Amino acid sequence: MSVALPGIDQIRDAAARIAPYAAITPVLRHEALDRMVGAQLHFKCENLQRGGAFKFRGACNAVWSLTDDEAARGVVTHSSGNHGNALAMAAATRGIAAHVVVPEGAVRAKLEAIERAGAILHRCAATTAAREAKAAEVQQATGATLVHPYADTRVMAGQGTVVLELLQQSPQLDAIITPVGGGGLSSGCAIAAHAIDASLSMFGAEPSGADDAARSLALGARIDALVPDTVCDGLRTLIGEPNFAALREHRVEIITVSDEEAIAAMKLLWQSLKVVVEVSSATVFAAVLKQRERFAGRRIGLVLTGGNVDIDALPW
Amino acid sequence: MSVALPGIDQIRDAAARIAPYAAITPVLRHEALDRMVGAQLHFKCENLQRGGAFKFRGACNAVWSLTDDEAARGVVTHSSGNHGNALAMAAATRGIAAHVVVPEGAVRAKLEAIERAGAILHRCAATTAAREAKAAEVQQATGATLVHPYADTRVMAGQGTVVLELLQQSPQLDAIITPVGGGGLSSGCAIAAHAIDASLSMFGAEPSGADDAARSLALGARIDALVPDTVCDGLRTLIGEPNFAALREHRVEIITVSDEEAIAAMKLLWQSLKVVVEVSSATVFAAVLKQRERFAGRRIGLVLTGGNVDIDALPW
C-alpha cells in the first residue's frame, strides 16, 4: 500500500468541501472534571457529529472528491461500523450507492444505522484479510471506488478537519489527544495541528488489548500480527501504514489504558459531561486521568470520537 | 403568595447578570429525528448547562441580584434536586453560604452533587408544606434570603434567558415546548418568547401523573391538591401561583404524556441525539411524538432541561 499523507492544504480543502454537510460540533467544558484532573479540558464532541461519529468528515470528503463519473459507480468500504455508517450517509448526500462490508460481531446498533442510511450490506468474517478481500470483490463487480476507513488520503484529510475546528473554538491548547485505531483520525489531526502550531503536543490513546500503535512506535516498525482483544470495538483495527508513518513523523505519543479504565472514564463522561460516548471515545479521558501529573495545569483538547452505543448493553 | 411576573427587561438584565457564569448551551439538530417527526426540531441542550440543568440560570440571577448585605447572610431553598444544586453552585460563584432543604426520596445522584457544590443540606418530609416550613425555619435562624425554586421573579427571569438564547441561535421558530413542573421555566420562557415574537406558539409538557397545570388551565383556577405520581422526578412539583398566571396569560398549551412515553422518548434521545437527558426533559420530545400531526412541517424549539440521572438505575 502506498498512500500519500495529506498536507494542510488538503485538510483545508476538505473543511470547505464538507462544510455544507457536516456539523460544527461543540466543545464542552466542565468545571468539576477540570478540578478532578487539575487541567483545562476541552472536549470536542464528535459524538454529536452527523451519524454520531467523526467518521462522517472523512467519508464526506472522499465522496465529494470523486469525479461525476466515479461517483456514478458508487463507493465501497469495509468497516466495523462507524465508517460504514458515515460512508452511507455521505453517499446519500450525493445520491450515489454505498456498499459496506461488515464483519461478524459488529455492534448491532451500528449495523442497523448503516442499513437505515441506505447502504447495501455485505457480510464477511471478522479478520482484516477477509474484509479487504470482500471489498475488492464488490469493487470489481460494481466499479465502485474503495474508500478505505483510514489508509486513504481523502479520509485522513477529512478527519484532520476536527483539529482545524477545535483550534478555532479553543485556540490556546497545549496538547490534543485522540483515540488510535486505524489511525485515520490521529494522523489527520497530527498533520493539521502541527501545521498550525508546531509546538502542540500530540497524544494518542489505545486500549492495552489493541496497543499495536504503541508497540509499533516503540519498535520503530509497524506490527501487523496482533489480535485485538478489547471492549473498545471502534479501536480493534490495526494501525495503517501511512497512518503509522504520520504518527512517527509527528512524534505522537501513545498512552495505553485498560478496558476497565476506559469503561470507568466512559461512565464518568456520561454522568458529568451529560453526553453519550462510546467506550472507544472514553480512552482519551482515561489516558488523561491515568497520567494526570504530566497533564497538570495544561490546556488539553480531547476528541470524543463517537456515541454509537448499544444502550441496552452498557458495559457497567 | 404575591410574586410579580418578570418583564422582558428583567429577563434581558438577567441574561447580562449570568453571562459571566452560565454556559451558552448548544442547540442540536438531528436529521433522522426530523424525518421521524416530520418537523424541524431544535433541541436546546440545558442538560449541558453548568450543574447539568437550566436551573443554574434562575439561581445565578437570584444570587447576583442580592445586595452585599443580603448576600453576606446567604441563601436558602427547598428543592427536589436540580434547583438546590444550582443554588449551591450559584452561591459558590459569589462566595456565600447556601442552605438547601431536600425532601426524602430525592435522587441520590442529585443530593451528592448538591453536597459536592458546597451547600448545607437540611432534610425534611416529601411534601410541599414540610419543605416550606423547614426553609422558613432555616431562613429565620440564619437571615438567609429564600430563593424559591419557581415562584420567584428573579428565578423566572433567569429561566427566561433560555428562550433569549434559543431565539438567537434558531431565530425562525414557530413553536417552543418546555416541561412544566413548578412553572419557573415555562413562565419565564413564555414571557421572553412573546416579547420577541407574539405569534410564537408556546407549549408545555406534563407527565399525566402530575398534570396539575393541564387541569388548572382547563378549570381556569389553580389546583393545589394533587398528589403527583410519576417517574419524572423533576416534575412532581405543583405549578406555582405566579407561574400559573403567566401560563394563562400567554395561552401556553399543555400536552400530557404517560411515563412510558417519556421513558421511550428519553431512550430515543440518548440513542439518536447522543445526550444524557433526564426523563423529565424527555417529556417535551414525547409530547411532539405524540401529537406529530399538529407539529408537522413546523420549526419547533424543544428545551431539554437537565441530565442529572442515576446512571445505575435507568428506567428501561
Side-chain angles (χ1 to χ4, degrees):
Chain A
M1 214 181 326
S2 103
V3 172
L5 293 176
I8 185 69
D9 289 346
Q10 282 162 289
I11 298 173
R12 292 197 199 281
D13 288 349
R17 201 175 278 126
I18 72 175
Y21 312 104
I24 294 173
T25 56
V27 173
L28 295 182
R29 303 289 318 274
H30 198 280
E31 214 183 355
L33 293 181
D34 280 5
R35 270 200 309 272
M36 173 187 288
V37 175
Q40 242 190 52
L41 308 178
H42 298 249
F43 294 99
K44 177 66 172 162
C45 290
E46 286 296 300
N47 59 321
L48 305 179
Q49 184 51 265
R50 214 164 144 171
F54 74 94
K55 297 273 188 177
F56 183 75
R57 295 175 182 264
C60 191
N61 186 47
V63 160
W64 286 97
S65 295
L66 299 176
T67 66
D68 286 347
D69 277 357
E70 289 168 335
R73 294 191 293 273
V75 285
V76 56
T77 197
H78 47 86
S79 163
S80 68
N82 279 335
H83 173 68
N85 184 35
L87 191 67
M89 297 187 72
T93 67
R94 199 165 174 179
I96 66 176
H99 301 272
V100 179
V101 175
V102 293
E104 303 293 338
V107 174
R108 190 174 52 83
K110 294 188 180 180
L111 296 191
E112 288 173 3
I114 295 174
E115 282 194 307
R116 272 200 307 275
I120 303 144
L121 294 191
H122 305 264
R123 290 171 196 274
C124 72
T127 66
T128 303
R131 294 188 208 183
E132 290 180 354
K134 188 70 168 182
E137 192 185 299
V138 174
Q139 202 181 346
Q140 277 211 316
T142 60
T145 301
L146 178 70
V147 180
H148 193 280
Y150 48 91
D152 182 301
T153 313
R154 302 158 301 187
V155 169
M156 288 185 272
Q159 319 306 31
T161 65
V162 170
V163 156
L164 291 190
E165 212 173 277
L166 170 58
L167 288 174
Q168 274 168 0
Q169 294 163 307
S170 297
Q172 304 294 336
L173 298 181
D174 301 308
I176 295 174
I177 181 164
T178 73
V180 178
L185 177 68
S186 51
S187 57
C189 286
I191 294 165
H194 284 160
I196 293 170
D197 178 357
S199 74
L200 266 165
S201 303
M202 297 302 293
F203 291 90
E206 255 190 338
S208 46
D211 63 346
D212 59 296
R215 287 173 194 243
S216 299
L217 287 169
L219 191 68
R222 182 170 155 265
I223 288 177
D224 61 0
L226 182 142
V227 179
D229 176 19
T230 172
V231 71
C232 300
D233 60 287
L235 303 179
R236 287 183 194 137
T237 322
L238 301 187
I239 186 131
E241 256 186 50
N243 314 89
F244 172 64
L247 297 200
R248 277 189 87 173
E249 188 181 329
H250 289 275
R251 302 170 312 284
V252 175
E253 186 178 338
I254 308 292
I255 298 171
T256 57
V257 299
S258 69
D259 279 2
E260 293 67 31
E261 288 165 336
I263 291 167
M266 174 186 178
K267 195 170 177 182
L268 198 49
L269 289 173
W270 286 44
Q271 286 172 318
S272 300
L273 210 57
K274 313 299 181 195
V275 287
V276 170
V277 292
E278 304 178 29
V279 63
S280 300
S281 299
T283 54
V284 294
F285 185 45
V288 171
L289 283 170
K290 189 171 190 169
Q291 302 208 0
R292 65 185 85 178
E293 57 298 328
R294 73 186 301 181
F295 290 107
R298 302 179 77 191
R299 291 159 298 196
I300 310 161
L302 299 91
V303 181
L304 299 178
T305 43
N308 293 322
V309 175
D310 189 343
I311 225 155
D312 293 312
L314 297 177
W316 54 76
Chain B
M1 214 181 327
S2 102
V3 173
L5 294 175
I8 184 69
D9 290 346
Q10 283 162 289
I11 298 174
R12 292 198 199 280
D13 288 349
R17 201 175 278 126
I18 72 176
Y21 313 105
I24 294 173
T25 55
V27 173
L28 295 182
R29 305 288 318 275
H30 198 279
E31 215 183 356
L33 294 180
D34 280 5
R35 271 201 307 273
M36 173 186 289
V37 174
Q40 242 190 51
L41 309 178
H42 298 249
F43 294 98
K44 178 66 172 161
C45 290
E46 286 296 302
N47 60 320
L48 304 180
Q49 185 51 263
R50 213 164 144 171
F54 73 95
K55 297 273 188 178
F56 182 74
R57 294 175 183 266
C60 191
N61 187 47
V63 161
W64 286 97
S65 296
L66 299 176
T67 65
D68 287 347
D69 278 357
E70 289 168 335
R73 292 190 295 274
V75 285
V76 57
T77 196
H78 46 86
S79 163
S80 67
N82 279 336
H83 173 68
N85 183 35
L87 192 67
M89 295 185 74
T93 67
R94 199 166 173 178
I96 66 176
H99 301 271
V100 179
V101 175
V102 294
E104 303 292 336
V107 173
R108 190 174 51 82
K110 294 187 180 180
L111 296 191
E112 288 174 2
I114 296 174
E115 283 195 307
R116 271 200 306 275
I120 302 144
L121 294 190
H122 305 264
R123 291 170 194 274
C124 73
T127 66
T128 302
R131 294 188 208 183
E132 290 180 354
K134 187 72 168 181
E137 191 184 299
V138 174
Q139 202 180 346
Q140 278 212 314
T142 61
T145 300
L146 178 69
V147 181
H148 193 278
Y150 46 92
D152 182 301
T153 312
R154 302 157 300 187
V155 169
M156 289 185 272
Q159 320 304 31
T161 64
V162 170
V163 155
L164 292 189
E165 212 173 275
L166 170 59
L167 288 174
Q168 275 168 357
Q169 294 164 306
S170 297
Q172 304 293 335
L173 297 181
D174 301 309
I176 295 173
I177 181 163
T178 73
V180 178
L185 177 69
S186 51
S187 57
C189 286
I191 293 165
H194 284 161
I196 292 170
D197 177 357
S199 74
L200 266 166
S201 302
M202 297 300 294
F203 292 90
E206 252 188 341
S208 46
D211 63 345
D212 60 296
R215 288 173 193 243
S216 298
L217 287 169
L219 190 70
R222 181 171 155 265
I223 289 176
D224 61 0
L226 183 142
V227 179
D229 177 19
T230 172
V231 71
C232 301
D233 60 287
L235 303 178
R236 288 184 192 135
T237 322
L238 301 186
I239 186 131
E241 258 186 48
N243 314 89
F244 173 64
L247 298 200
R248 276 190 87 173
E249 188 181 329
H250 289 275
R251 302 170 311 286
V252 175
E253 186 178 337
I254 308 290
I255 298 171
T256 56
V257 299
S258 69
D259 279 1
E260 292 68 31
E261 289 165 335
I263 291 168
M266 174 185 176
K267 195 171 176 181
L268 198 50
L269 289 172
W270 286 43
Q271 287 172 317
S272 301
L273 210 57
K274 314 297 181 196
V275 288
V276 170
V277 292
E278 303 179 29
V279 63
S280 300
S281 299
T283 54
V284 294
F285 185 44
V288 171
L289 282 170
K290 188 171 190 171
Q291 303 208 0
R292 64 185 88 177
E293 56 299 326
R294 74 187 302 181
F295 290 107
R298 301 179 79 191
R299 289 159 297 197
I300 310 160
L302 299 91
V303 181
L304 299 179
T305 43
N308 293 323
V309 175
D310 189 343
I311 227 156
D312 293 312
L314 297 177
W316 54 75

